[in-house]
Amino acid sequence: MSQRFLGIRLAPGVQPINLAAFYVAALVSILIFAFMNQAQILLLTPELGVDPEQKGSISGDLVFWGEVVVLGLVGIFGSLSDKIGRLPIFCGGFVFLGLLCFLQPEAGSLNGLLVMRLFYAVGVAAVIGMLPTVLADYAVDADRGRATGIQGVMNGIGAMITVFALLKLPSLLTSLGDDSQTAVRRTYQLVAYLSFAVAIFLALFLQRRAVNQTQRPEGTLLQIAIEGLRAARDPGIALAYGAAFLSRGLLTVLGVFFTVWGEKFGVAAGYTPVDAVARVGLVIGVAQTFALIGAPLFGILADRLNRVTALVLACAVAALGYGSTWFIHDPLGLDLAALLGVVGAAALIGLGEVGCIITSGVLIAQQAPPRVRGAVIGFFNLSGAAGILVASALGGRLFDNWRPSGPFLLFGALALIVAVWGLAVRGRVVPLREPGAPEAG
């Protein structure tokens, strides 16, 4: 009989401590990703030559070029993990994240900040490549919805720590006597030390190699990667790739542009940039609270419903939430009517965002052949990186040249398109069952 952790049946050879270590990594990784995107606005000071009217485009461009690196590496890391195992890539990714969290406040110029972002993206590619791959290795298929739901809870907790603690820390430190630059630097250093600690923790408690592969993949890394791409002939895998594009774009739009929107609006209303970011963190916190609530809900739905149906439902909620930003003019909710509108939109955004992330992850884990799981999920993550590219580059232009809600409206429309796509292929998606694995409910 297989072992269990939090009610999740584990694959043969996996110990509860291995899955526990994975969930710690999931929590801290989202904390770091959310912090780096949302606190980035605090580094875009006039001393770096930043035009306040171009902060949307500059923020998007920094994310864009970082994702170009992710796009080039995530498939390679996925395929490489099939060759050498998950552990060295996972740990190395957190080491890279820590180093660049430590160094970014010292960039000194906009070009220096861009270079830092490019190196930071190496760590991002490694970590995001391993998150769905390791979870697929550790949990049996029938319980992957629940397992992914718990991962979503960990992600939500990490994101809430960011918005309710880390984004407020610079404001707190300035009130205690630090200048704003020192306060921001100290906050970044704290996140760096946390990343290093997680790398050590994973080295101690993660499985030494992928334990759920029925055989080692043969051929070069390029051949393995090509096999992952060819897997898109399965309509379920193709849909999961499209959903990955959407879900990572949704996450980027919320993490990058809502902070820029709130900071811009807050400064115009008389707040300092540090205080405006602290306040906008409260609104993002509403979205993350509902993401925390929605994570186990969508995890259960992914195990109890047809997994394409669960994905379509999540996309519909995302379309409604992101589309509702058309009616928002005050992102900080400075009066009661504005506050009610922002809270309602944030709730739907949080539910839709986490729902798309969880249901797409469960779908790709269900459809990916175990022999090349790393390669398939590598391309799944590559699709997500492409979504971030579009969200950051096009979203920044929409923000500066059309309206601040432009990035949200774009991905609300894309969510609707993926929902229709899912309905169209639902009857042609045949779940891939692993030999001897219990079926999902």
Side-chain angles (χ1 to χ4, degrees), residues 191-415:
V191 176
Y193 294 139
L194 183 59
S195 186
F196 293 143
V198 171
I200 295 171
F201 186 75
L202 289 180
L204 293 173
F205 297 115
L206 209 65
Q207 274 281 347
R208 293 292 166 185
R209 54 168 291 181
V211 297
N212 203 33
Q213 293 174 271
T214 56
Q215 65 183 80
R216 304 295 285 172
E218 298 180 356
T220 66
L221 290 177
L222 178 59
Q223 289 169 332
I224 296 171
I226 290 173
E227 190 164 357
L229 180 60
R230 287 174 177 168
R233 289 177 292 189
D234 179 317
I237 290 178
L239 176 62
Y241 288 170
F245 178 97
L246 170 68
S247 62
R248 293 297 305 281
L250 293 173
L251 190 62
T252 300
V253 165
L254 177 62
V256 175
F257 294 110
F258 201 87
T259 308
V260 180
W261 188 2
E263 190 262 358
K264 181 177 181 179
F265 186 89
V267 169
Y271 288 82
T272 67
V274 167
D275 289 339
V277 169
R279 183 174 177 86
V280 79
L282 296 175
V283 179
I284 297 178
V286 173
Q288 299 302 342
T289 299
F290 278 86
L292 191 64
I293 296 169
L297 172 62
F298 279 103
I300 292 170
L301 288 176
D303 280 343
R304 293 185 178 273
L305 299 178
N306 177 293
R307 282 167 173 169
V308 176
T309 302
L311 174 62
V312 169
L313 179 60
C315 290
V317 175
L320 183 60
Y322 281 73
S324 67
T325 59
W326 175 272
F327 304 102
I328 293 177
H329 302 286
D330 170 7
L332 299 184
L334 298 181
D335 61 65
L336 181 59
L339 180 63
L340 292 175
V342 169
V343 168
L348 290 172
I349 285 171
L351 288 172
E353 169 208 312
V354 77
C356 289
I357 291 171
I358 287 174
T359 55
S360 62
V362 174
L363 180 60
I364 195 65
Q366 171 186 280
Q367 299 299 118
R371 188 180 67 85
V372 289
R373 177 171 289 142
V376 171
I377 294 181
F379 269 90
F380 173 82
N381 287 315
L382 186 136
S383 299
I388 295 175
L389 288 178
V390 172
S392 56
L394 184 54
R397 272 67 186 172
L398 292 174
F399 183 97
D400 284 337
N401 300 314
W402 180 35
R403 54 190 298 156
S405 62
F408 295 84
L409 298 174
L410 170 64
F411 273 83
L414 291 176

Side-chain angles (χ1 to χ4, degrees), residues 86-98 122-123 126-127 199 202:
R86 321 304 193 201
L87 179 62
I89 295 174
F90 218 174
C91 290
F94 275 99
V95 170
F96 254 89
L97 293 179
V122 176
V127 171
L202 289 180

Side-chain angles (χ1 to χ4, degrees), residues 9 31 36 39 43-44 56 66 68 70 96 99 104 111 121 182 196 204 244 298 302 316 340 350 364 375 403 405:
R9 287 166 286 183
L31 180 153
M36 292 293 276
L43 301 178
L44 301 182
V68 170
V70 173
F96 254 89
L99 285 172
Q104 280 209 57
N111 287 335
T182 301
F196 293 143
L204 293 173
F298 279 103
L340 292 175
I364 195 65
R403 54 190 298 156
S405 62

